[in-house]
Amino acid sequence: MRTALVIGTGLIGTSIALALSSRGVRVHLEDSDDDSLRTAAALGAGTEEPVAAPVDLAVVAVPPASIAESVAAAQRRGVARGYVDVGSVKGGPGRELAARGGDLGSYLGTHPMAGRERSGPLAATPDLFEGRPWVIATTPAVDTELLNLTLELVALCRAVPVVMDADSHDRAVALVSHAPQLLSSLVAARLETAEESAVRLCGQGIRDVTRIAASDPAMWIDILAANPGPVADVLSEVAADLEETVRSLRALQAADEAKRADGAAGIEELLRRGAAGRQRVPGKHGAAPTAYETVAVPISDRPGELARIFADAGRAGVNIEDVRIEHATAQQSGLVQLMVEPSAAPALAAALREQGWSIRR
């Protein structure tokens, strides 16, 4: 791939353009929003110059409701040898493109499973997709050359290709992405009118659950409007679980011992199912989940402290597999949780103590 056209310079489009440009591909940029286009170009994502001759691949990075129209328009212009979209919904846009008379042989629906709470070109980064799944919703009509170009696109963005049919993809993202967004927002919405005394008690758990609730509402309206059925199916199942959970919690308040025992059993079963489901979430680099041991270190909130603790861990020859920071409320301090292989935890704790760190295990 020597040349590409990226249509849409939001977070995903600009991140793709940055990744391609950094690997020597000449990228042309298009966007109906002139400010977004100029910003992406200024970041080094590509050039605003119009496409003079067909590029190798056109990447359509627009909201799901606009994908079919944008792909069809680009095909009519003949701006590329092949066309892919990177929207978060696949079934509807493909069917709409077919209804519009688009060329399904030169079009392929894809979806990089990456994003951030922030949107727009300023949130873009060339390593956004590194190590992340990138769904390719291939069909029998797709030209082999286009499939190869798409695989090259995924490789240049350092993502991991995953082949699925469009409708299976839409059901999958409803479960692992779209419904969780709404559930996060539902929990966060409870905080809007909560008493300040309650909000001040927020800890890492509520921060984790509500992190994605900070996402752009307009963007999510576009996504959910394109995949409402599968999302509603997931939420319907969650609603049934919620009803049963409420029943179990009410039973825990009963005077009758048997009812309390029944309520406790219901809650225990839900927690068991939740733990079993969490164990299926892929771990580091997509591998099977690993049970790491945590070495917790109190740390002050000042420049250089994180760098120092990572350097001390490096000198001990211990690889940090993951890290979390719990920030203390109303204090300039926090707790750094260093996740390591269980066999490495004693050595790391000892090495950090030698460097003057306080350890909590």
Side-chain angles (χ1 to χ4, degrees):
M1 188 189 306
R2 292 186 173 88
T3 57
L5 168 64
V6 174
I7 302 173
T9 53
L11 167 65
I12 300 299
T14 303
S15 293
I16 290 171
L18 286 168
L20 294 180
S21 294
S22 70
R23 289 161 178 80
V25 178
R26 178 170 175 78
V27 179
H28 296 264
L29 303 172
E30 290 185 3
D31 199 305
S32 58
D33 185 331
D34 290 338
D35 289 339
S36 181
L37 177 61
R38 283 192 293 268
T39 300
L43 291 171
T47 177
E48 299 178 63
E49 295 178 10
V51 173
V55 297
D56 293 326
L57 187 68
V59 180
V60 178
V62 300
S66 303
I67 288 174
E69 178 183 356
S70 297
V71 172
Q75 288 181 335
R76 288 194 297 269
R77 291 159 53 201
V79 295
R81 292 160 51 200
Y83 305 82
V84 301
D85 83 84
V86 290
S88 59
V89 179
K90 300 271 68 80
R95 288 187 285 271
E96 184 181 346
L97 179 63
R100 288 173 174 268
D103 178 11
L104 299 184
S106 65
Y107 161 75
L108 188 53
T110 80
H111 179 203
M113 297 297 295
R116 303 180 67 183
E117 303 90 75
R118 297 168 55 208
S119 59
L122 289 175
T125 172
D127 60 358
L128 182 66
F129 313 103
E130 190 164 341
R132 303 304 301 272
W134 191 310
V135 175
I136 301 174
T138 187
T139 68
V142 172
D143 181 78
T144 302
E145 182 183 15
L146 172 58
L147 181 58
N148 288 335
L149 279 170
T150 304
L151 289 170
E152 186 177 358
L153 167 68
V154 174
L156 288 170
C157 291
R158 296 181 178 174
V160 180
V162 177
V163 176
M164 300 178 72
D165 70 79
D167 290 331
S168 294
H169 163 274
D170 291 351
R171 290 191 297 271
V173 294
L175 175 64
V176 303
S177 177
H178 301 171
Q181 173 65 44
L182 288 174
L183 291 169
S184 177
S185 296
L186 284 168
V187 174
R190 307 277 72 75
L191 300 174
E192 184 180 23
T193 57
E195 294 183 3
E196 182 63 23
S197 58
V199 174
R200 289 180 63 82
L201 299 180
C202 287
Q204 194 61 41
I206 192 70
R207 291 189 181 98
D208 288 345
V209 170
T210 61
R211 179 182 61 83
I212 58 175
S215 301
D216 179 18
M219 176 190 73
W220 273 102
I221 290 172
D222 286 335
I223 292 171
L224 294 168
N227 199 31
V231 177
D233 291 341
V234 173
L235 292 182
S236 179
E237 294 177 353
V238 172
D241 279 344
L242 282 173
E243 286 187 10
E244 181 59 25
T245 301
V246 170
R247 188 201 67 77
S248 295
L249 289 170
R250 299 298 187 201
L252 287 175
Q253 297 176 302
D256 183 88
E257 184 176 347
K259 289 184 177 180
R260 291 199 304 273
D262 182 57
I267 298 298
E268 182 180 12
E269 174 63 9
L270 174 67
L271 296 174
R272 184 203 63 76
R273 289 170 52 208
R278 180 65 179 84
Q279 283 298 312
R280 296 193 66 194
V281 176
K284 187 177 179 183
H285 306 311
T290 301
Y292 297 126
E293 186 158 341
T294 299
V295 177
V297 185
I299 189 170
S300 60
D301 187 11
R302 62 188 184 194
E305 288 292 272
L306 279 175
R308 187 164 71 88
I309 196 171
F310 290 145
D312 288 344
R315 279 189 289 270
V318 176
N319 184 52
I320 305 301
E321 304 291 345
D322 205 348
V323 62
R324 292 178 61 183
I325 303 176
E326 289 190 17
H327 301 280
T329 303
Q331 296 183 30
Q332 298 300 308
S333 63
L335 191 69
V336 175
Q337 297 178 338
L338 304 175
M339 273 73 92
V340 298
E341 293 285 351
S343 60
L348 175 60
L352 293 179
R353 283 195 186 97
E354 287 182 5
Q355 297 299 321
W357 297 98
S358 175
I359 304 298
R360 295 184 188 173
R361 290 286 296 277

